[in-house]
């Protein structure tokens, strides 16, 4: 039976996290369903929740998702002391559907302090630099994380959307303070294989975002966004009597003990199904089958 837990720094978390972005961006659910989704995640054993100050829809809503997560945890009837909230700074949303990048040290420090207030914590458990800013030297942006660690504003640091060179440079600056890398990685998008290998080598958690790419549409895709059908993931799923999404997440977990996927969800049923991937055992033959390119089998 697979291990349903993973290690992130010195914290044990459920092997599947919750990507909370769909709860706050375009086409988001109402708050009742959003809170129910977070509670379903907790009920299913999810203890890592990924958010960001830029996860919102309209202008003037900075921190919408962080405030939502804080309210959902406060309303939960069970113990939440083991929940790790990971948030991010360095991106913005003007409200017109676009994204901006700001990696100046001053901005990142102010953003982290504001995130801590919205989350209602003395120190953020995991604070991640959302994306490198091409207008700011990487060492300067990462240096802001070092200052936040030293000040006690954050307990650990992560980086997102990065190259292997950027991982190595950040590790040199942050040392043990760097605990995670969050890049896009999925059945359809495997470009970050080198970053996954390096993260495993350095003992860093690797947090795939949009981990169901090719199997399910991302929450930012339009209604006609691409998905595949009758792939190896669908065929393996049919044999197990489970969803192809669950197989995709189990496959990701098999890639490395460092992997903690962050599937998005906007309904309780979605995250309940995703969390069950932590206990889905795939055979060596099935894993080899899932190495095939993500294309439907010819009729």
């Amino acid at each position: 039976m697979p291990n349903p837990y993973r290690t992130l720094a010195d914290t044990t978390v459920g092997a599947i996290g919750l990507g909370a972005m769909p709860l706050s961006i375009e086409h988001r659910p109402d708050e009742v369903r959003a809170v129910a989704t977070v509670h379903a995640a907790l009920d299913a054993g999810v203890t890592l929740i990924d958010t960001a100050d830029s996860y919102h829809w309209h202008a003037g809503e900075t921190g919408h998702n962080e405030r939502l997560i804080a309210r959902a945890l406060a309303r939960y009837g069970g113990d939440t002391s083991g929940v790790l909230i990971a948030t991010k700074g360095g991106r913005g949303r003007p409200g017109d559907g676009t994204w901006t990048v700001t990696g100046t040290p001053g901005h990142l420090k102010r953003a982290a302090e504001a995130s801590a207030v919205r989350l209602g914590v003395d120190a953020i458990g995991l604070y991640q630099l959302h994306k490198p800013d091409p207008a700011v030297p990487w060492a300067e942006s990462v240096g802001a994380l070092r200052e936040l660690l030293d000040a006690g504003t954050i307990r650990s640091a992560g980086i997102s959307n990065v190259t292997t060179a950027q991982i190595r440079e950040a590790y040199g600056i942050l040392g043990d303070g760097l605990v995670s890398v969050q890049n896009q990685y999925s059945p359809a998008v495997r470009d970050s294989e080198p970053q996954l290998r390096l993260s495993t080598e350095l003992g860093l958690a690797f947090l795939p975002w949009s981990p169901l790419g090719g199997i399910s549409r991302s929450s930012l895709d339009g209604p006609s966004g691409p998905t595949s059908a009758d792939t190896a993931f669908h065929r393996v799923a049919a044999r197990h009597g489970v969803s192809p999404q669950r197989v995709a997440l189990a496959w990701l977990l098999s890639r490395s003990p460092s992997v903690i996927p962050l599937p998005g969800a906007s309904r309780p049923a979605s995250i309940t199904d995703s969390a069950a991937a932590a206990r889905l055992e795939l055979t060596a033959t099935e894993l080899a089958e899932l190495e095939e390119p993500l294309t439907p089998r010819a009729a």
Side-chain angles (χ1 to χ4, degrees), residues 132-150:
D133 184 343
V136 179
W138 178 238
E140 291 185 14
S141 295
V142 175
L145 299 182
R146 178 74 268 169
E147 292 184 41
L148 289 165
L149 285 166
D150 294 343

Side-chain angles (χ1 to χ4, degrees), residues 13-74:
V13 297
I16 301 293
L18 169 65
M21 182 175 73
L23 302 177
S24 289
I25 63 164
E26 290 85 335
H27 315 298
R28 65 195 181 201
D30 61 32
E31 181 152 333
V32 171
R33 196 175 92 187
V35 169
T37 300
V38 176
H39 289 179
L42 300 174
D43 290 343
V46 171
T47 57
L48 173 63
I49 300 177
D50 182 75
T51 180
D53 61 0
S54 57
Y55 290 169
H56 62 88
W57 186 350
H58 307 291
E61 286 189 327
T62 298
H64 181 282
N65 198 242
E66 293 172 322
R67 287 188 291 267
L68 173 65
I69 297 303
R71 289 195 297 271
L73 292 179

Side-chain angles (χ1 to χ4, degrees), residues 283-299:
T283 67
T285 299
E286 288 170 334
L287 290 173
E289 183 179 354
L290 297 174
E291 287 301 304
E292 299 174 10
L294 192 67
T295 53
R297 182 171 52 185

Side-chain angles (χ1 to χ4, degrees), residues 17-181:
L18 169 65
M21 182 175 73
L23 302 177
S24 289
I25 63 164
E26 290 85 335
H27 315 298
R28 65 195 181 201
D30 61 32
E31 181 152 333
V32 171
R33 196 175 92 187
V35 169
T37 300
V38 176
H39 289 179
L42 300 174
D43 290 343
V46 171
T47 57
L48 173 63
I49 300 177
D50 182 75
T51 180
D53 61 0
S54 57
Y55 290 169
H56 62 88
W57 186 350
H58 307 291
E61 286 189 327
T62 298
H64 181 282
N65 198 242
E66 293 172 322
R67 287 188 291 267
L68 173 65
I69 297 303
R71 289 195 297 271
L73 292 179
R75 297 173 191 170
Y76 187 63
D79 181 16
T80 60
S81 60
V83 176
L84 175 61
I85 301 178
T87 192
K88 297 183 285 295
R91 301 208 76 179
R93 300 204 78 199
D96 60 359
T98 64
W99 296 76
T100 59
V101 182
T102 307
T104 59
H107 172 80
L108 293 172
K109 287 184 282 188
R110 289 190 298 272
E113 291 163 358
S115 289
V117 171
R118 287 189 290 264
L119 293 170
V121 297
D122 294 328
I124 297 171
L126 172 57
Y127 192 70
Q128 304 160 96
L129 202 165
H130 206 152
K131 186 176 183 179
D133 184 343
V136 179
W138 178 238
E140 291 185 14
S141 295
V142 175
L145 299 182
R146 178 74 268 169
E147 292 184 41
L148 289 165
L149 285 166
D150 294 343
T153 307
I154 67 176
R155 292 197 174 95
S156 58
I159 51 178
S160 183
N161 299 300
V162 289
T163 65
T164 53
Q166 288 166 334
I167 295 172
R168 291 189 184 279
E169 186 173 0
Y171 189 73
I173 295 168
L174 300 171
D176 291 342
L178 179 65
V179 303
S180 65
V181 171

